[in-house]
Amino acid sequence: MKKLLFVTALLAGFACAPVLAQQSKVGDWTVEKRTQDTHCNASRGYKDKDDENREYAIVITYSKEAIVLVAIYDGWEWEKTGEILRADFGTDDKDIMAKAKWEVMDKTTVRGVFEYNQTIMDALSKAKRITLDFEDDDDDSIELQVPRFGEALAALKFCEENRK
């Protein structure tokens, strides 16, 4: 009888516990499925001592329909949320898309939404850096460091295949 009460109390405790995000780490990448999100994402943030210790961050998520990439750089000062910018998008060794469309999310954040394409994912998985070269604006063009990106994308794929 005591054993049954113990098991019942234990199960009740599990039922009342908060739902936590599905999360893993790959180096300094965080791969997670947050409860409020439909899909998993991989994110990495860092400070660059060679750029006045400015903060950089990148977030990627994907589905079978789209790849969404968010770039955050505290050196940007975009003025119009919702403004559409054009930038050549590539990696340290491959041009991915010329004049890709990027939407300003806030003064330090842009988001690119691309139709899912395995060629883009393959190029990203080999990248050490992601480049955004904005038209006629060298001051706002950046390189984001993405070490172990291939491993992070593999973990992101695993998260997507096993999301709850």
Coordinates of all heavy atoms in Angstrom, one line a residue, residues 61-106:
T61 N 16.5 28.5 -37.8 CA 15.5 27.5 -37.7 C 15.1 27.1 -39.1 O 15.3 27.9 -40.1 CB 14.3 28.0 -36.9 OG1 13.4 26.9 -36.6 CG2 13.5 29.1 -37.5
Y62 N 14.5 26.0 -39.3 CA 14.0 25.6 -40.6 C 12.8 24.6 -40.5 O 12.6 24.0 -39.4 CB 15.1 25.0 -41.4 CG 15.6 23.6 -41.1 CD1 15.0 22.5 -41.7 CD2 16.5 23.4 -40.1 CE1 15.4 21.2 -41.4 CE2 16.9 22.1 -39.8 CZ 16.3 21.1 -40.4 OH 16.7 19.8 -40.1
S63 N 12.1 24.5 -41.6 CA 11.1 23.5 -41.7 C 11.2 23.0 -43.2 O 12.1 23.5 -43.9 CB 9.7 24.1 -41.5 OG 9.4 25.0 -42.6
K64 N 10.3 22.1 -43.6 CA 10.5 21.7 -45.0 C 10.1 22.7 -46.0 O 10.3 22.6 -47.2 CB 9.7 20.4 -45.2 CG 8.3 20.4 -44.8 CD 7.6 19.0 -44.9 CE 6.3 19.1 -44.3 NZ 5.6 17.8 -44.1
E65 N 9.5 23.8 -45.5 CA 9.1 24.9 -46.4 C 10.1 26.1 -46.4 O 10.2 26.8 -47.4 CB 7.7 25.5 -45.9 CG 6.5 24.6 -46.2 CD 6.3 23.7 -45.0 OE1 6.6 24.0 -43.9 OE2 5.9 22.5 -45.3
A66 N 10.8 26.4 -45.3 CA 11.6 27.6 -45.2 C 12.8 27.4 -44.3 O 12.8 26.6 -43.4 CB 10.7 28.7 -44.7
I67 N 13.8 28.2 -44.5 CA 14.9 28.4 -43.7 C 14.8 29.9 -43.2 O 14.7 30.8 -44.0 CB 16.3 28.2 -44.4 CG1 16.3 26.8 -45.0 CG2 17.5 28.5 -43.5 CD1 17.4 26.6 -46.1
V68 N 14.9 30.0 -41.9 CA 14.9 31.4 -41.3 C 16.2 31.6 -40.6 O 16.6 30.9 -39.7 CB 13.7 31.5 -40.3 CG1 13.6 33.0 -39.7 CG2 12.4 31.2 -41.0
L69 N 16.8 32.7 -40.9 CA 18.1 33.1 -40.3 C 18.0 34.5 -39.7 O 17.5 35.4 -40.4 CB 19.2 33.1 -41.4 CG 20.6 33.1 -41.0 CD1 21.0 31.8 -40.2 CD2 21.5 33.3 -42.2
V70 N 18.3 34.7 -38.5 CA 18.2 36.0 -37.8 C 19.7 36.4 -37.4 O 20.4 35.6 -36.8 CB 17.3 35.9 -36.5 CG1 17.4 37.2 -35.8 CG2 15.9 35.5 -36.9
A71 N 20.0 37.6 -37.8 CA 21.4 38.1 -37.4 C 21.2 39.3 -36.5 O 20.4 40.2 -36.8 CB 22.1 38.5 -38.7
I72 N 21.9 39.3 -35.4 CA 21.9 40.4 -34.5 C 23.3 41.0 -34.3 O 24.2 40.2 -34.1 CB 21.3 39.9 -33.1 CG1 20.0 39.2 -33.3 CG2 21.3 41.0 -32.1 CD1 19.5 38.4 -32.2
Y73 N 23.4 42.3 -34.4 CA 24.7 42.9 -34.3 C 24.5 44.3 -33.6 O 23.7 45.1 -34.1 CB 25.3 43.1 -35.6 CG 26.6 44.0 -35.7 CD1 27.7 43.7 -34.9 CD2 26.6 45.1 -36.5 CE1 28.8 44.4 -34.9 CE2 27.8 45.9 -36.5 CZ 28.9 45.5 -35.7 OH 30.0 46.3 -35.8
D74 N 25.1 44.5 -32.4 CA 24.8 45.7 -31.7 C 25.5 46.9 -32.2 O 25.3 48.0 -31.7 CB 25.1 45.5 -30.2 CG 26.6 45.6 -29.8 OD1 27.4 45.7 -30.7 OD2 26.8 45.5 -28.6
G75 N 26.2 46.8 -33.4 CA 26.7 47.9 -34.1 C 25.8 48.5 -35.1 O 26.0 49.6 -35.6
W76 N 24.7 47.8 -35.4 CA 23.7 48.3 -36.3 C 22.8 49.3 -35.6 O 22.5 49.2 -34.4 CB 22.8 47.2 -36.9 CG 23.5 46.4 -37.9 CD1 24.4 46.7 -38.8 CD2 23.2 45.0 -38.2 NE1 24.7 45.7 -39.6 CE2 24.0 44.6 -39.3 CE3 22.3 44.1 -37.6 CZ2 23.9 43.3 -39.8 CZ3 22.2 42.8 -38.2 CH2 23.0 42.4 -39.3
E77 N 22.2 50.2 -36.4 CA 21.2 51.1 -35.9 C 20.2 51.4 -36.9 O 20.0 52.5 -37.4 CB 21.9 52.5 -35.4 CG 22.7 52.3 -34.2 CD 23.2 53.6 -33.6 OE1 22.6 54.7 -33.9 OE2 24.1 53.5 -32.7
W78 N 19.5 50.3 -37.3 CA 18.4 50.4 -38.3 C 17.3 51.3 -37.7 O 17.0 51.2 -36.6 CB 17.9 49.0 -38.6 CG 18.9 48.0 -39.1 CD1 19.3 46.8 -38.4 CD2 19.7 48.0 -40.3 NE1 20.2 46.2 -39.1 CE2 20.6 46.9 -40.3 CE3 19.9 48.9 -41.3 CZ2 21.5 46.6 -41.3 CZ3 20.8 48.7 -42.3 CH2 21.6 47.5 -42.3
E79 N 16.7 52.0 -38.6 CA 15.7 53.0 -38.2 C 14.3 52.6 -38.4 O 13.4 53.0 -37.6 CB 16.0 54.4 -38.8 CG 17.3 55.0 -38.4 CD 17.6 56.3 -39.1 OE1 16.7 56.8 -39.8 OE2 18.7 56.8 -38.9
K80 N 14.0 51.7 -39.3 CA 12.7 51.4 -39.7 C 12.4 49.9 -39.5 O 12.8 49.1 -40.4 CB 12.3 51.8 -41.1 CG 12.3 53.3 -41.4 CD 11.9 53.4 -42.9 CE 11.9 54.9 -43.3 NZ 11.6 55.0 -44.7
T81 N 11.7 49.5 -38.5 CA 11.2 48.2 -38.3 C 10.3 47.8 -39.5 O 9.5 48.6 -39.9 CB 10.5 48.0 -37.0 OG1 11.3 48.3 -35.9 CG2 9.9 46.6 -36.9
G82 N 10.6 46.7 -40.1 CA 9.8 46.2 -41.3 C 10.4 46.6 -42.6 O 10.0 46.1 -43.6
E83 N 11.4 47.5 -42.6 CA 12.1 47.8 -43.8 C 12.8 46.6 -44.4 O 13.3 45.8 -43.7 CB 13.2 48.9 -43.5 CG 13.9 49.4 -44.8 CD 15.0 50.4 -44.4 OE1 15.3 50.7 -43.3 OE2 15.6 50.9 -45.4
I84 N 12.7 46.5 -45.8 CA 13.3 45.4 -46.5 C 14.7 45.9 -47.0 O 14.8 46.9 -47.7 CB 12.5 44.9 -47.6 CG1 11.1 44.4 -47.1 CG2 13.2 43.8 -48.4 CD1 11.2 43.3 -46.1
L85 N 15.7 45.2 -46.7 CA 17.1 45.5 -47.1 C 17.5 44.4 -48.1 O 17.0 43.3 -48.0 CB 18.1 45.5 -45.9 CG 17.7 46.4 -44.8 CD1 18.6 46.2 -43.6 CD2 17.7 47.9 -45.2
R86 N 18.5 44.7 -48.9 CA 19.1 43.7 -49.8 C 20.5 43.5 -49.5 O 21.3 44.5 -49.3 CB 19.0 44.1 -51.3 CG 17.5 44.3 -51.8 CD 16.9 42.9 -52.0 NE 15.5 43.0 -52.4 CZ 14.8 42.0 -52.7 NH1 15.3 40.8 -52.7 NH2 13.5 42.2 -53.0
A87 N 21.0 42.3 -49.4 CA 22.4 42.0 -49.1 C 22.8 40.7 -49.7 O 22.0 39.7 -49.8 CB 22.5 41.8 -47.5
D88 N 24.0 40.6 -50.2 CA 24.6 39.4 -50.7 C 24.8 38.5 -49.5 O 25.4 39.0 -48.5 CB 25.9 39.6 -51.5 CG 25.6 40.4 -52.8 OD1 24.5 40.4 -53.2 OD2 26.6 41.0 -53.3
F89 N 24.4 37.3 -49.5 CA 24.4 36.3 -48.4 C 25.3 35.2 -48.8 O 25.2 34.6 -49.9 CB 23.0 35.9 -48.2 CG 22.8 34.7 -47.3 CD1 23.5 34.5 -46.1 CD2 21.8 33.7 -47.6 CE1 23.3 33.5 -45.3 CE2 21.6 32.7 -46.8 CZ 22.3 32.5 -45.6
G90 N 26.3 34.9 -48.0 CA 27.3 33.9 -48.3 C 28.0 33.4 -47.1 O 27.6 33.7 -45.9
T91 N 29.0 32.5 -47.3 CA 29.8 32.0 -46.3 C 31.3 32.3 -46.6 O 31.5 33.0 -47.6 CB 29.7 30.5 -46.2 OG1 30.2 29.8 -47.3 CG2 28.2 30.1 -46.0
D92 N 32.2 31.9 -45.8 CA 33.6 32.2 -46.0 C 34.1 31.6 -47.4 O 35.1 32.1 -47.9 CB 34.4 31.6 -44.9 CG 34.0 30.3 -44.4 OD1 32.9 30.1 -44.1 OD2 34.9 29.4 -44.3
D93 N 33.4 30.6 -47.9 CA 33.9 30.0 -49.2 C 32.8 29.8 -50.3 O 33.1 29.3 -51.3 CB 34.6 28.7 -48.9 CG 33.6 27.6 -48.5 OD1 32.5 27.9 -48.1 OD2 34.1 26.4 -48.4
K94 N 31.6 30.3 -50.0 CA 30.5 30.1 -51.0 C 29.5 31.3 -51.0 O 29.1 31.7 -50.0 CB 29.8 28.8 -50.7 CG 28.7 28.5 -51.8 CD 28.4 27.0 -51.7 CE 27.3 26.6 -52.7 NZ 27.8 26.6 -54.0
D95 N 29.2 31.8 -52.2 CA 28.1 32.8 -52.3 C 26.8 32.0 -52.3 O 26.7 31.0 -53.1 CB 28.3 33.5 -53.6 CG 29.5 34.4 -53.6 OD1 30.0 34.8 -52.6 OD2 30.0 34.7 -54.7
I96 N 25.9 32.3 -51.4 CA 24.6 31.6 -51.4 C 23.6 32.3 -52.2 O 22.9 31.7 -53.0 CB 24.2 31.4 -49.9 CG1 25.2 30.5 -49.2 CG2 22.8 30.9 -49.8 CD1 24.9 30.3 -47.7
M97 N 23.4 33.6 -52.0 CA 22.3 34.3 -52.7 C 22.7 35.8 -52.8 O 23.0 36.4 -51.9 CB 21.0 34.2 -51.9 CG 19.8 34.7 -52.7 SD 18.3 34.4 -51.7 CE 18.3 32.6 -51.6
A98 N 22.7 36.3 -54.1 CA 22.9 37.7 -54.3 C 21.6 38.5 -54.0 O 20.5 38.0 -54.3 CB 23.3 37.9 -55.8
K99 N 21.8 39.6 -53.5 CA 20.6 40.5 -53.2 C 19.5 39.9 -52.5 O 18.3 40.0 -52.8 CB 20.2 41.2 -54.5 CG 21.2 42.0 -55.1 CD 20.7 42.7 -56.4 CE 21.7 43.5 -57.0 NZ 22.3 44.2 -57.6
A100 N 19.8 39.1 -51.5 CA 18.8 38.4 -50.7 C 18.1 39.4 -49.9 O 18.6 40.5 -49.5 CB 19.5 37.4 -49.7
K101 N 16.8 39.1 -49.6 CA 15.9 40.0 -48.9 C 16.0 39.8 -47.4 O 15.9 38.6 -46.9 CB 14.5 39.7 -49.3 CG 13.5 40.7 -48.9 CD 12.2 40.6 -49.6 CE 11.3 39.6 -49.0 NZ 9.9 39.6 -49.6
W102 N 16.3 40.9 -46.6 CA 16.4 40.8 -45.2 C 15.5 41.9 -44.6 O 15.4 43.0 -45.0 CB 17.8 41.1 -44.7 CG 18.8 40.1 -45.2 CD1 19.4 39.9 -46.4 CD2 19.2 38.9 -44.5 NE1 20.1 38.8 -46.5 CE2 20.0 38.1 -45.3 CE3 18.9 38.4 -43.2 CZ2 20.6 36.9 -44.9 CZ3 19.4 37.2 -42.8 CH2 20.3 36.5 -43.6
E103 N 14.7 41.5 -43.6 CA 13.7 42.4 -43.0 C 14.3 42.9 -41.7 O 14.8 42.1 -40.8 CB 12.4 41.7 -42.7 CG 11.4 42.5 -42.0 CD 10.1 41.8 -41.7 OE1 10.0 40.6 -42.0 OE2 9.2 42.4 -41.2
V104 N 14.2 44.2 -41.4 CA 14.6 44.8 -40.2 C 13.6 44.5 -39.1 O 12.4 44.8 -39.2 CB 14.8 46.3 -40.3 CG1 15.1 47.0 -39.0 CG2 15.9 46.7 -41.3
M105 N 14.0 43.8 -38.0 CA 13.2 43.4 -36.9 C 13.2 44.5 -35.8 O 12.2 44.8 -35.2 CB 13.6 42.1 -36.4 CG 13.6 41.0 -37.4 SD 12.1 40.8 -38.3 CE 10.9 40.3 -37.1
D106 N 14.3 45.0 -35.6 CA 14.5 46.2 -34.6 C 15.9 46.8 -35.0 O 16.5 46.5 -36.0 CB 14.4 45.7 -33.1 CG 15.5 44.7 -32.7 OD1 16.6 44.8 -33.2 OD2 15.2 43.9 -31.9

